[in-house]
Amino acid sequence: MKTISKIIVVALLLIISQGCSEDFLNLENVNNLTTTSFYRTEKDFEDLLISTYMPMAFHQMWGIKAHRIGFAVDDRSIHERFNDSQLQYDATNPDIAEIYWSLFTGVFRSNLFLQKCTDDAGIDGVRKQQMIGEAYFLRGLYYFYLATYFEVPPLLQEPPDDPLEGHPNATQDAIYDQVETDFATAMELLPDLWDEKNLGRATKGAAMAYLGKTYLFRAKFSEAATILKEVIDSDIYSLNMPQATDSLDYVWAYLSNFTPIDLPNGSNVYDSEFNSESIFEVNFSLAFDLGRDASQYLPGRRSTGSHQTWFNGYSNFTQGYGNLAIDDKSFPDAFEAPGPAGLQKDPRYYATFIAPGDTLDWRTSILDHYETNAGTRVFRISDLNSTLGTSLGMRKHLWPFHNSLVWSNAPFQDPNNWRLMRYADVLLMYAEAAFRESGNEFHPEALIAINKVRLRVGMPLLTALSKEAIVHERDIELALEHKRFWDFARWYRD
């Protein structure tokens, strides 16, 4: 009986082993996407492209960390991280490491798209070329900031086979060479404009502006002036100009570039996000948190405006503290006086600073989550951390202030887009490039460009160019936009 039992057991085992073949054990989970099942349809590539935009909106990049470092190295702002302000950091600093990771995540996804979007990708011809242009622009953008921030990162032009494999550093010139190639390729493939539902995607003008900026950072002044002049001559972009001579019109025309809502003054309304001077901005949205469809919120799809988690949280004046403020020991004196329409200073002063006694808003209710008790809530010196030694708060980027009357996460989230490239910056870069290339202090087109920026805020027009005039105008116009430190770094190298 034992022998028969053994025979039966062996037979059953043989039958089971034949049934459990390798094909049977390696079933594909139809609910999971794989590299063989994903890259098939145009929607697959649209989703991949959207994911390529997203690292710029990560909280590890322009969500939070790039702001924390950007304000730390700017002598015009002050916050509690004094070691960062003294440039006392290295790769062990988590902010630095996460910025690096975010930028290389963008590079990887850009390279992945360019690798997978082949001739047989099944995408409409025109749309395919646009998508490829977007991917080249994004890779150029991520590598521009890698070369600028880190100087000598590895240069990868395709996704690595082994993500754990190390790669040697490249030279900064090699990185910038690739950046120039990517932006030049992108500008030939991208459209001038997108329809409303696709606002936030890269455009030809964005590629040209960043190519000009790359040339300027490399002291290629002739090339920079040429390409930046093309952006100006395209007539696609224009400054938000005051629609009346009221003092508030001058302030609103400028401040509208740093707020998530349009700013009204009587019958005049100043457009904010994606206005006529917006060239490229990181797009944030609260739509998912408010239970709305966010499929059209590009490029920061599913990003919740989290740059305010630190930015607004540290700057807020609704919780009784503030750890980020204006360094007012010298900066206020940099603004010219008097201003237009009875203002004591340049209108940009009032758009940049909030002073004790200023109300936190100009009306009691603004759209969904923008609500403040403007009649009773004013800015006080006690709202700032006394250790900062300053009395001026930051209005730019944080106007209007909001609390939790409607939006439960206020003041720690706010879907205010971060403007990476504005037309005013293009005008000032062109003025600098043309002046430095020619050495002509009376360069007519360069003077027109810089005076357009001054005309918007009603300041006296310049009659001659100089290094000091260009430095001053960039300092005031682009204050607290993380440009000043890198301007001084490149001017020192020239």
Side-chain angles (χ1 to χ4, degrees):
M1 290 294 295
K2 289 182 179 179
T3 301
I4 295 174
S5 297
K6 289 180 179 180
I7 293 173
I8 293 173
V9 170
V10 171
L12 288 171
L13 290 173
L14 286 172
I15 293 171
I16 293 171
S17 67
Q18 291 297 318
C20 295
S21 66
E22 186 175 332
D23 291 340
F24 176 78
L25 293 174
N26 291 326
L27 288 177
E28 179 179 342
N29 185 343
V30 296
N31 294 315
N32 288 339
L33 292 173
T34 66
T35 56
T36 57
S37 66
F38 180 69
Y39 304 108
R40 292 180 177 177
T41 68
E42 183 169 337
K43 183 181 183 305
D44 292 341
F45 285 96
E46 291 284 8
D47 289 345
L48 176 58
L49 188 59
I50 288 175
S51 77
T52 308
Y53 279 95
M54 289 177 67
M56 69 179 70
F58 286 171
H59 81 275
Q60 294 92 343
M61 192 57 210
W62 284 292
I64 301 175
K65 301 307 177 69
H67 298 302
R68 187 143 63 191
I69 296 301
F71 285 119
V73 301
D74 191 339
D75 62 326
R76 297 312 197 186
S77 60
I78 185 171
H79 67 71
E80 65 178 7
R81 297 183 53 154
F82 297 109
N83 289 342
D84 287 350
S85 296
Q86 298 299 316
L87 307 184
Q88 297 174 357
Y89 53 74
D90 54 28
T92 62
N93 183 309
D95 292 346
I96 302 299
E98 290 175 8
I99 290 171
Y100 189 83
W101 171 82
S102 296
L103 292 171
F104 261 113
T105 299
V107 169
F108 171 80
R109 293 181 181 183
S110 302
N111 282 333
L112 183 63
F113 182 92
L114 292 170
Q115 180 191 68
K116 297 298 183 181
C117 191
T118 58
D119 293 338
D120 58 352
I123 307 174
D124 172 72
V126 174
R127 179 63 190 125
K128 180 180 178 181
Q129 293 304 306
Q130 293 173 341
M131 294 169 76
I132 292 173
E134 290 177 77
Y136 274 114
F137 171 83
L138 291 169
R139 187 172 71 177
L141 183 77
Y142 292 125
Y143 259 130
F144 171 82
Y145 285 103
L146 279 165
T148 302
Y149 291 176
F150 299 100
E151 293 193 357
V152 292
L155 176 56
L156 303 177
Q157 296 171 291
E158 57 184 28
D161 295 328
D162 181 359
L164 299 180
E165 179 184 355
H167 299 274
N169 287 348
T171 65
Q172 188 180 52
D173 279 338
I175 300 293
Y176 277 141
D177 285 344
Q178 185 62 53
V179 168
E180 290 178 9
T181 299
D182 284 351
F183 285 143
T185 302
M187 61 182 274
E188 298 300 325
L189 300 174
L190 291 170
D192 291 332
L193 297 168
W194 292 96
D195 58 26
E196 186 172 353
K197 72 177 182 178
N198 284 297
L199 292 176
R201 292 186 184 272
T203 62
K204 180 178 181 178
M208 295 170 69
Y210 265 100
L211 179 57
K213 185 171 185 174
T214 306
Y215 286 145
L216 191 63
F217 271 51
R218 304 186 77 183
K220 295 182 176 182
F221 301 123
S222 178
E223 294 92 331
T226 298
I227 195 69
L228 292 168
K229 188 63 164 58
E230 287 187 39
V231 179
I232 295 170
D233 290 343
S234 71
D235 290 330
I236 294 175
Y237 308 101
S238 62
L239 297 178
N240 244 10
M241 298 298 293
Q243 300 170 34
T245 56
D246 182 83
S247 59
L248 193 58
D249 286 283
Y250 281 102
V251 177
W252 261 207
Y254 175 71
L255 186 61
S256 60
N257 293 292
F258 314 104
T259 178
I261 67 171
D262 298 342
L263 300 180
N265 185 33
S267 61
N268 301 324
V269 178
Y270 296 92
D271 296 337
S272 56
E273 295 172 347
F274 303 118
N275 62 21
S276 63
E277 58 183 288
S278 171
I279 295 180
F280 193 73
E281 48 192 86
V282 184
N283 197 354
F284 292 95
S285 171
L286 290 175
F288 263 91
D289 301 274
L290 297 176
R292 300 171 184 164
D293 175 20
S295 62
Q296 304 303 331
Y297 286 83
L298 300 174
R301 182 170 181 258
R302 296 180 183 270
S303 297
T304 60
S306 58
H307 76 277
Q308 302 292 19
T309 302
W310 181 82
F311 195 175
N312 197 355
Y314 273 48
S315 311
N316 85 84
F317 310 115
T318 59
Q319 304 293 311
Y321 66 88
N323 303 71
L324 169 65
I326 300 293
D327 187 351
D328 64 355
K329 289 182 284 293
S330 62
F331 190 26
D333 294 334
F335 290 79
E336 296 172 58
L343 293 171
Q344 294 182 359
K345 286 181 175 286
D346 184 324
R348 291 171 290 193
Y349 174 91
Y350 305 95
T352 303
F353 305 126
I354 185 167
D358 288 349
T359 57
L360 299 183
D361 215 328
W362 78 91
R363 54 184 180 179
T364 57
S365 178
I366 308 173
L367 301 178
D368 293 323
H369 51 288
Y370 292 97
E371 294 201 7
T372 61
N373 298 321
T376 58
R377 190 73 181 90
V378 297
F379 172 54
R380 304 162 301 176
I381 295 178
S382 60
D383 290 330
L384 291 176
N385 186 330
S386 60
T387 62
L388 295 180
T390 182
S391 62
L392 291 175
M394 188 183 304
R395 191 191 305 270
K396 195 174 187 179
H397 308 298
L398 298 173
W399 187 262
F401 298 98
H402 59 282
N403 62 25
S404 57
L405 293 177
V406 172
W407 176 235
S408 60
N409 284 343
F412 298 106
Q413 285 185 328
D414 178 12
N416 188 9
N417 290 358
W418 182 257
R419 282 69 160 183
L420 275 181
M421 180 66 72
R422 296 194 291 117
Y423 184 53
D425 194 4
V426 168
L427 291 169
L428 295 178
M429 287 193 295
Y430 169 72
E432 178 185 342
F435 169 66
R436 299 185 72 182
E437 187 270 333
S438 67
N440 180 8
E441 61 182 318
F442 304 109
H443 192 296
E445 292 176 314
L447 274 170
I448 290 173
I450 196 170
N451 279 331
K452 283 182 178 179
V453 177
R454 294 179 62 81
L455 181 64
R456 186 251 291 278
V457 289
M459 301 308 296
L461 302 185
L462 300 179
T463 58
L465 291 166
S466 66
K467 175 183 176 181
E468 292 73 23
I470 292 169
V471 170
H472 168 79
E473 209 59 39
R474 290 191 65 81
D475 182 20
I476 300 303
E477 175 69 24
L478 305 172
L480 308 174
E481 297 179 48
H482 310 333
K483 303 274 197 307
R484 181 172 163 85
F485 176 85
W486 305 109
D487 279 343
F488 278 113
R490 65 183 178 83
W491 289 331
Y492 174 80
R493 289 195 299 265
D494 290 347

mmCIF file of all heavy atoms in Angstrom, residues 240-278:
data_model
loop_
_atom_site.group_PDB
_atom_site.id
_atom_site.type_symbol
_atom_site.label_atom_id
_atom_site.label_comp_id
_atom_site.label_asym_id
_atom_site.label_seq_id
_atom_site.Cartn_x
_atom_site.Cartn_y
_atom_site.Cartn_z
ATOM 1 N N ASN A 240 2.213 95.003 -19.437
ATOM 2 C CA ASN A 240 0.935 95.439 -18.874
ATOM 3 C C ASN A 240 1.062 96.924 -18.544
ATOM 4 O O ASN A 240 1.719 97.297 -17.573
ATOM 5 C CB ASN A 240 0.643 94.643 -17.593
ATOM 6 C CG ASN A 240 -0.579 93.770 -17.711
ATOM 7 O OD1 ASN A 240 -1.123 93.596 -18.788
ATOM 8 N ND2 ASN A 240 -1.006 93.194 -16.595
ATOM 9 N N MET A 241 0.466 97.772 -19.338
ATOM 10 C CA MET A 241 0.632 99.217 -19.151
ATOM 11 C C MET A 241 -0.511 99.800 -18.316
ATOM 12 O O MET A 241 -1.646 99.303 -18.362
ATOM 13 C CB MET A 241 0.681 99.914 -20.509
ATOM 14 C CG MET A 241 1.838 99.481 -21.379
ATOM 15 S SD MET A 241 3.462 99.844 -20.640
ATOM 16 C CE MET A 241 3.449 101.647 -20.689
ATOM 17 N N PRO A 242 -0.224 100.868 -17.543
ATOM 18 C CA PRO A 242 -1.308 101.544 -16.803
ATOM 19 C C PRO A 242 -2.372 102.047 -17.771
ATOM 20 O O PRO A 242 -2.056 102.636 -18.804
ATOM 21 C CB PRO A 242 -0.585 102.704 -16.116
ATOM 22 C CG PRO A 242 0.857 102.323 -16.108
ATOM 23 C CD PRO A 242 1.084 101.492 -17.317
ATOM 24 N N GLN A 243 -3.613 101.813 -17.432
ATOM 25 C CA GLN A 243 -4.723 102.236 -18.292
ATOM 26 C C GLN A 243 -5.259 103.615 -17.896
ATOM 27 O O GLN A 243 -6.203 104.111 -18.502
ATOM 28 C CB GLN A 243 -5.841 101.192 -18.227
ATOM 29 C CG GLN A 243 -5.390 99.816 -18.697
ATOM 30 C CD GLN A 243 -6.410 98.730 -18.420
ATOM 31 O OE1 GLN A 243 -7.614 98.973 -18.473
ATOM 32 N NE2 GLN A 243 -5.942 97.525 -18.111
ATOM 33 N N ALA A 244 -4.661 104.217 -16.868
ATOM 34 C CA ALA A 244 -5.023 105.565 -16.427
ATOM 35 C C ALA A 244 -3.834 106.128 -15.664
ATOM 36 O O ALA A 244 -2.832 105.433 -15.454
ATOM 37 C CB ALA A 244 -6.275 105.527 -15.556
ATOM 38 N N THR A 245 -3.929 107.362 -15.252
ATOM 39 C CA THR A 245 -2.811 107.998 -14.551
ATOM 40 C C THR A 245 -3.010 108.008 -13.043
ATOM 41 O O THR A 245 -2.306 108.713 -12.327
ATOM 42 C CB THR A 245 -2.631 109.439 -15.050
ATOM 43 O OG1 THR A 245 -3.861 110.157 -14.875
ATOM 44 C CG2 THR A 245 -2.224 109.457 -16.517
ATOM 45 N N ASP A 246 -3.953 107.222 -12.555
ATOM 46 C CA ASP A 246 -4.145 107.080 -11.112
ATOM 47 C C ASP A 246 -2.947 106.317 -10.537
ATOM 48 O O ASP A 246 -2.394 105.427 -11.168
ATOM 49 C CB ASP A 246 -5.443 106.324 -10.839
ATOM 50 C CG ASP A 246 -5.719 106.192 -9.358
ATOM 51 O OD1 ASP A 246 -6.256 107.137 -8.770
ATOM 52 O OD2 ASP A 246 -5.376 105.134 -8.784
ATOM 53 N N SER A 247 -2.553 106.638 -9.330
ATOM 54 C CA SER A 247 -1.383 106.001 -8.727
ATOM 55 C C SER A 247 -1.550 104.490 -8.625
ATOM 56 O O SER A 247 -0.595 103.730 -8.827
ATOM 57 C CB SER A 247 -1.113 106.593 -7.339
ATOM 58 O OG SER A 247 -2.233 106.408 -6.481
ATOM 59 N N LEU A 248 -2.772 104.026 -8.303
ATOM 60 C CA LEU A 248 -2.997 102.599 -8.170
ATOM 61 C C LEU A 248 -2.878 101.885 -9.514
ATOM 62 O O LEU A 248 -2.472 100.722 -9.561
ATOM 63 C CB LEU A 248 -4.381 102.335 -7.551
ATOM 64 C CG LEU A 248 -4.621 100.899 -7.068
ATOM 65 C CD1 LEU A 248 -3.589 100.480 -6.040
ATOM 66 C CD2 LEU A 248 -6.022 100.761 -6.494
ATOM 67 N N ASP A 249 -3.203 102.555 -10.600
ATOM 68 C CA ASP A 249 -3.036 101.945 -11.911
ATOM 69 C C ASP A 249 -1.573 101.610 -12.173
ATOM 70 O O ASP A 249 -1.256 100.560 -12.739
ATOM 71 C CB ASP A 249 -3.568 102.875 -13.002
ATOM 72 C CG ASP A 249 -5.087 102.907 -13.036
ATOM 73 O OD1 ASP A 249 -5.684 101.947 -13.544
ATOM 74 O OD2 ASP A 249 -5.668 103.881 -12.540
ATOM 75 N N TYR A 250 -0.675 102.493 -11.768
ATOM 76 C CA TYR A 250 0.750 102.235 -11.955
ATOM 77 C C TYR A 250 1.207 101.031 -11.129
ATOM 78 O O TYR A 250 1.985 100.206 -11.594
ATOM 79 C CB TYR A 250 1.565 103.473 -11.568
ATOM 80 C CG TYR A 250 1.582 104.550 -12.627
ATOM 81 C CD1 TYR A 250 0.777 105.678 -12.512
ATOM 82 C CD2 TYR A 250 2.415 104.431 -13.738
ATOM 83 C CE1 TYR A 250 0.796 106.671 -13.474
ATOM 84 C CE2 TYR A 250 2.441 105.416 -14.715
ATOM 85 C CZ TYR A 250 1.629 106.535 -14.582
ATOM 86 O OH TYR A 250 1.650 107.505 -15.542
ATOM 87 N N VAL A 251 0.727 100.936 -9.900
ATOM 88 C CA VAL A 251 1.119 99.818 -9.035
ATOM 89 C C VAL A 251 0.524 98.513 -9.543
ATOM 90 O O VAL A 251 1.205 97.482 -9.647
ATOM 91 C CB VAL A 251 0.683 100.085 -7.582
ATOM 92 C CG1 VAL A 251 1.031 98.886 -6.689
ATOM 93 C CG2 VAL A 251 1.333 101.354 -7.050
ATOM 94 N N TRP A 252 -0.772 98.536 -9.893
ATOM 95 C CA TRP A 252 -1.476 97.330 -10.326
ATOM 96 C C TRP A 252 -0.905 96.788 -11.646
ATOM 97 O O TRP A 252 -0.823 95.588 -11.832
ATOM 98 C CB TRP A 252 -2.946 97.637 -10.491
ATOM 99 C CG TRP A 252 -3.888 97.259 -9.384
ATOM 100 C CD1 TRP A 252 -5.210 96.983 -9.536
ATOM 101 C CD2 TRP A 252 -3.635 97.134 -7.983
ATOM 102 N NE1 TRP A 252 -5.794 96.702 -8.316
ATOM 103 C CE2 TRP A 252 -4.838 96.778 -7.350
ATOM 104 C CE3 TRP A 252 -2.499 97.286 -7.202
ATOM 105 C CZ2 TRP A 252 -4.940 96.566 -5.982
ATOM 106 C CZ3 TRP A 252 -2.586 97.086 -5.823
ATOM 107 C CH2 TRP A 252 -3.793 96.727 -5.236
ATOM 108 N N ALA A 253 -0.534 97.681 -12.572
ATOM 109 C CA ALA A 253 -0.017 97.238 -13.865
ATOM 110 C C ALA A 253 1.224 96.377 -13.686
ATOM 111 O O ALA A 253 1.454 95.418 -14.443
ATOM 112 C CB ALA A 253 0.292 98.439 -14.754
ATOM 113 N N TYR A 254 2.027 96.696 -12.679
ATOM 114 C CA TYR A 254 3.235 95.905 -12.392
ATOM 115 C C TYR A 254 2.920 94.711 -11.505
ATOM 116 O O TYR A 254 3.317 93.576 -11.799
ATOM 117 C CB TYR A 254 4.271 96.808 -11.720
ATOM 118 C CG TYR A 254 5.521 96.097 -11.273
ATOM 119 C CD1 TYR A 254 6.447 95.617 -12.196
ATOM 120 C CD2 TYR A 254 5.786 95.903 -9.918
ATOM 121 C CE1 TYR A 254 7.605 94.972 -11.790
ATOM 122 C CE2 TYR A 254 6.936 95.258 -9.493
ATOM 123 C CZ TYR A 254 7.853 94.797 -10.433
ATOM 124 O OH TYR A 254 8.995 94.146 -10.017
ATOM 125 N N LEU A 255 2.174 94.935 -10.426
ATOM 126 C CA LEU A 255 1.909 93.880 -9.446
ATOM 127 C C LEU A 255 1.090 92.733 -10.028
ATOM 128 O O LEU A 255 1.160 91.603 -9.540
ATOM 129 C CB LEU A 255 1.185 94.472 -8.231
ATOM 130 C CG LEU A 255 0.959 93.541 -7.039
ATOM 131 C CD1 LEU A 255 2.274 93.039 -6.477
ATOM 132 C CD2 LEU A 255 0.158 94.253 -5.953
ATOM 133 N N SER A 256 0.334 92.987 -11.082
ATOM 134 C CA SER A 256 -0.493 91.936 -11.686
ATOM 135 C C SER A 256 0.338 90.765 -12.194
ATOM 136 O O SER A 256 -0.200 89.670 -12.401
ATOM 137 C CB SER A 256 -1.324 92.515 -12.836
ATOM 138 O OG SER A 256 -0.478 93.065 -13.832
ATOM 139 N N ASN A 257 1.640 90.964 -12.364
ATOM 140 C CA ASN A 257 2.512 89.881 -12.813
ATOM 141 C C ASN A 257 2.894 88.911 -11.707
ATOM 142 O O ASN A 257 3.590 87.921 -11.966
ATOM 143 C CB ASN A 257 3.790 90.472 -13.430
ATOM 144 C CG ASN A 257 3.513 91.208 -14.715
ATOM 145 O OD1 ASN A 257 3.158 90.612 -15.719
ATOM 146 N ND2 ASN A 257 3.659 92.525 -14.685
ATOM 147 N N PHE A 258 2.440 89.164 -10.503
ATOM 148 C CA PHE A 258 2.870 88.346 -9.374
ATOM 149 C C PHE A 258 1.703 87.903 -8.498
ATOM 150 O O PHE A 258 1.899 87.514 -7.353
ATOM 151 C CB PHE A 258 3.890 89.130 -8.534
ATOM 152 C CG PHE A 258 4.927 89.797 -9.376
ATOM 153 C CD1 PHE A 258 4.871 91.166 -9.614
ATOM 154 C CD2 PHE A 258 5.929 89.057 -9.980
ATOM 155 C CE1 PHE A 258 5.809 91.778 -10.414
ATOM 156 C CE2 PHE A 258 6.868 89.661 -10.796
ATOM 157 C CZ PHE A 258 6.818 91.022 -11.015
ATOM 158 N N THR A 259 0.501 87.967 -9.039
ATOM 159 C CA THR A 259 -0.689 87.583 -8.288
ATOM 160 C C THR A 259 -1.490 86.578 -9.099
ATOM 161 O O THR A 259 -1.390 86.562 -10.335
ATOM 162 C CB THR A 259 -1.557 88.825 -7.980
ATOM 163 O OG1 THR A 259 -2.744 88.422 -7.291
ATOM 164 C CG2 THR A 259 -1.954 89.537 -9.254
ATOM 165 N N PRO A 260 -2.271 85.706 -8.461
ATOM 166 C CA PRO A 260 -3.060 84.721 -9.202
ATOM 167 C C PRO A 260 -4.396 85.235 -9.705
ATOM 168 O O PRO A 260 -5.116 84.507 -10.375
ATOM 169 C CB PRO A 260 -3.262 83.608 -8.172
ATOM 170 C CG PRO A 260 -3.247 84.313 -6.862
ATOM 171 C CD PRO A 260 -2.272 85.443 -7.009
ATOM 172 N N ILE A 261 -4.754 86.480 -9.385
ATOM 173 C CA ILE A 261 -6.050 86.995 -9.834
ATOM 174 C C ILE A 261 -5.853 88.339 -10.530
ATOM 175 O O ILE A 261 -4.874 89.048 -10.288
ATOM 176 C CB ILE A 261 -7.050 87.146 -8.661
ATOM 177 C CG1 ILE A 261 -6.571 88.238 -7.705
ATOM 178 C CG2 ILE A 261 -7.254 85.832 -7.944
ATOM 179 C CD1 ILE A 261 -7.586 88.588 -6.656
ATOM 180 N N ASP A 262 -6.780 88.670 -11.405
ATOM 181 C CA ASP A 262 -6.739 89.965 -12.080
ATOM 182 C C ASP A 262 -7.007 91.079 -11.066
ATOM 183 O O ASP A 262 -7.807 90.915 -10.142
ATOM 184 C CB ASP A 262 -7.775 90.022 -13.197
ATOM 185 C CG ASP A 262 -7.526 88.982 -14.275
ATOM 186 O OD1 ASP A 262 -6.396 88.459 -14.337
ATOM 187 O OD2 ASP A 262 -8.467 88.682 -15.042
ATOM 188 N N LEU A 263 -6.348 92.217 -11.258
ATOM 189 C CA LEU A 263 -6.457 93.324 -10.302
ATOM 190 C C LEU A 263 -7.277 94.452 -10.903
ATOM 191 O O LEU A 263 -6.895 95.029 -11.925
ATOM 192 C CB LEU A 263 -5.063 93.838 -9.930
ATOM 193 C CG LEU A 263 -4.126 92.821 -9.276
ATOM 194 C CD1 LEU A 263 -2.779 93.465 -8.965
ATOM 195 C CD2 LEU A 263 -4.742 92.236 -8.009
ATOM 196 N N PRO A 264 -8.401 94.804 -10.280
ATOM 197 C CA PRO A 264 -9.237 95.884 -10.817
ATOM 198 C C PRO A 264 -8.969 97.216 -10.132
ATOM 199 O O PRO A 264 -8.632 97.284 -8.953
ATOM 200 C CB PRO A 264 -10.648 95.389 -10.480
ATOM 201 C CG PRO A 264 -10.463 94.647 -9.189
ATOM 202 C CD PRO A 264 -9.082 94.058 -9.211
ATOM 203 N N ASN A 265 -9.113 98.275 -10.888
ATOM 204 C CA ASN A 265 -9.138 99.623 -10.320
ATOM 205 C C ASN A 265 -10.206 100.393 -11.079
ATOM 206 O O ASN A 265 -9.970 100.870 -12.196
ATOM 207 C CB ASN A 265 -7.795 100.323 -10.446
ATOM 208 C CG ASN A 265 -7.802 101.678 -9.747
ATOM 209 O OD1 ASN A 265 -8.470 101.865 -8.738
ATOM 210 N ND2 ASN A 265 -7.066 102.636 -10.308
ATOM 211 N N GLY A 266 -11.389 100.478 -10.503
ATOM 212 C CA GLY A 266 -12.523 101.057 -11.204
ATOM 213 C C GLY A 266 -12.882 100.196 -12.403
ATOM 214 O O GLY A 266 -13.057 98.984 -12.282
ATOM 215 N N SER A 267 -12.975 100.796 -13.567
ATOM 216 C CA SER A 267 -13.302 100.038 -14.773
ATOM 217 C C SER A 267 -12.081 99.407 -15.429
ATOM 218 O O SER A 267 -12.202 98.653 -16.399
ATOM 219 C CB SER A 267 -13.997 100.959 -15.790
ATOM 220 O OG SER A 267 -13.134 102.032 -16.155
ATOM 221 N N ASN A 268 -10.898 99.696 -14.902
ATOM 222 C CA ASN A 268 -9.666 99.121 -15.455
ATOM 223 C C ASN A 268 -9.353 97.802 -14.751
ATOM 224 O O ASN A 268 -9.457 97.711 -13.528
ATOM 225 C CB ASN A 268 -8.493 100.081 -15.270
ATOM 226 C CG ASN A 268 -8.736 101.414 -15.947
ATOM 227 O OD1 ASN A 268 -9.337 101.467 -17.020
ATOM 228 N ND2 ASN A 268 -8.270 102.494 -15.329
ATOM 229 N N VAL A 269 -8.982 96.803 -15.533
ATOM 230 C CA VAL A 269 -8.627 95.499 -14.984
ATOM 231 C C VAL A 269 -7.272 95.095 -15.541
ATOM 232 O O VAL A 269 -7.046 95.140 -16.755
ATOM 233 C CB VAL A 269 -9.685 94.429 -15.330
ATOM 234 C CG1 VAL A 269 -9.251 93.072 -14.783
ATOM 235 C CG2 VAL A 269 -11.047 94.824 -14.776
ATOM 236 N N TYR A 270 -6.365 94.655 -14.653
ATOM 237 C CA TYR A 270 -5.017 94.274 -15.053
ATOM 238 C C TYR A 270 -4.880 92.757 -14.976
ATOM 239 O O TYR A 270 -4.967 92.166 -13.893
ATOM 240 C CB TYR A 270 -3.998 94.988 -14.166
ATOM 241 C CG TYR A 270 -4.074 96.487 -14.369
ATOM 242 C CD1 TYR A 270 -4.891 97.280 -13.553
ATOM 243 C CD2 TYR A 270 -3.406 97.094 -15.425
ATOM 244 C CE1 TYR A 270 -5.003 98.649 -13.770
ATOM 245 C CE2 TYR A 270 -3.509 98.461 -15.646
ATOM 246 C CZ TYR A 270 -4.314 99.229 -14.824
ATOM 247 O OH TYR A 270 -4.425 100.575 -15.056
ATOM 248 N N ASP A 271 -4.693 92.147 -16.141
ATOM 249 C CA ASP A 271 -4.621 90.692 -16.241
ATOM 250 C C ASP A 271 -3.409 90.164 -15.484
ATOM 251 O O ASP A 271 -2.336 90.783 -15.475
ATOM 252 C CB ASP A 271 -4.533 90.259 -17.700
ATOM 253 C CG ASP A 271 -5.782 90.626 -18.484
ATOM 254 O OD1 ASP A 271 -6.843 90.793 -17.849
ATOM 255 O OD2 ASP A 271 -5.692 90.748 -19.719
ATOM 256 N N SER A 272 -3.584 88.987 -14.898
ATOM 257 C CA SER A 272 -2.499 88.411 -14.102
ATOM 258 C C SER A 272 -1.831 87.261 -14.860
ATOM 259 O O SER A 272 -1.041 87.495 -15.777
ATOM 260 C CB SER A 272 -3.017 87.963 -12.739
ATOM 261 O OG SER A 272 -4.102 87.053 -12.880
ATOM 262 N N GLU A 273 -2.152 86.014 -14.503
ATOM 263 C CA GLU A 273 -1.457 84.870 -15.082
ATOM 264 C C GLU A 273 -1.688 84.777 -16.591
ATOM 265 O O GLU A 273 -2.784 85.020 -17.083
ATOM 266 C CB GLU A 273 -1.904 83.587 -14.376
ATOM 267 C CG GLU A 273 -1.491 83.567 -12.913
ATOM 268 C CD GLU A 273 -2.073 82.401 -12.142
ATOM 269 O OE1 GLU A 273 -2.987 81.739 -12.673
ATOM 270 O OE2 GLU A 273 -1.616 82.154 -11.012
ATOM 271 N N PHE A 274 -0.632 84.415 -17.312
ATOM 272 C CA PHE A 274 -0.662 84.279 -18.766
ATOM 273 C C PHE A 274 -1.129 85.565 -19.449
ATOM 274 O O PHE A 274 -1.864 85.528 -20.423
ATOM 275 C CB PHE A 274 -1.546 83.092 -19.175
ATOM 276 C CG PHE A 274 -1.111 81.785 -18.572
ATOM 277 C CD1 PHE A 274 -1.946 81.081 -17.720
ATOM 278 C CD2 PHE A 274 0.138 81.270 -18.844
ATOM 279 C CE1 PHE A 274 -1.540 79.875 -17.156
ATOM 280 C CE2 PHE A 274 0.561 80.069 -18.281
ATOM 281 C CZ PHE A 274 -0.282 79.371 -17.440
ATOM 282 N N ASN A 275 -0.699 86.693 -18.900
ATOM 283 C CA ASN A 275 -1.056 87.959 -19.524
ATOM 284 C C ASN A 275 -0.109 88.240 -20.692
ATOM 285 O O ASN A 275 0.686 87.384 -21.092
ATOM 286 C CB ASN A 275 -1.065 89.095 -18.496
ATOM 287 C CG ASN A 275 0.301 89.328 -17.864
ATOM 288 O OD1 ASN A 275 1.339 88.950 -18.407
ATOM 289 N ND2 ASN A 275 0.317 89.953 -16.703
ATOM 290 N N SER A 276 -0.162 89.442 -21.229
ATOM 291 C CA SER A 276 0.568 89.758 -22.453
ATOM 292 C C SER A 276 2.077 89.745 -22.276
ATOM 293 O O SER A 276 2.815 89.669 -23.262
ATOM 294 C CB SER A 276 0.138 91.138 -22.971
ATOM 295 O OG SER A 276 0.470 92.154 -22.032
ATOM 296 N N GLU A 277 2.561 89.815 -21.031
ATOM 297 C CA GLU A 277 4.008 89.796 -20.844
ATOM 298 C C GLU A 277 4.513 88.483 -20.261
ATOM 299 O O GLU A 277 5.685 88.354 -19.919
ATOM 300 C CB GLU A 277 4.469 90.970 -19.990
ATOM 301 C CG GLU A 277 3.876 91.078 -18.609
ATOM 302 C CD GLU A 277 4.385 92.346 -17.905
ATOM 303 O OE1 GLU A 277 5.566 92.377 -17.515
ATOM 304 O OE2 GLU A 277 3.604 93.301 -17.774
ATOM 305 N N SER A 278 3.626 87.506 -20.165
ATOM 306 C CA SER A 278 4.027 86.188 -19.682
ATOM 307 C C SER A 278 4.649 85.383 -20.819
ATOM 308 O O SER A 278 4.010 85.165 -21.854
ATOM 309 C CB SER A 278 2.818 85.434 -19.113
ATOM 310 O OG SER A 278 3.156 84.100 -18.836
#
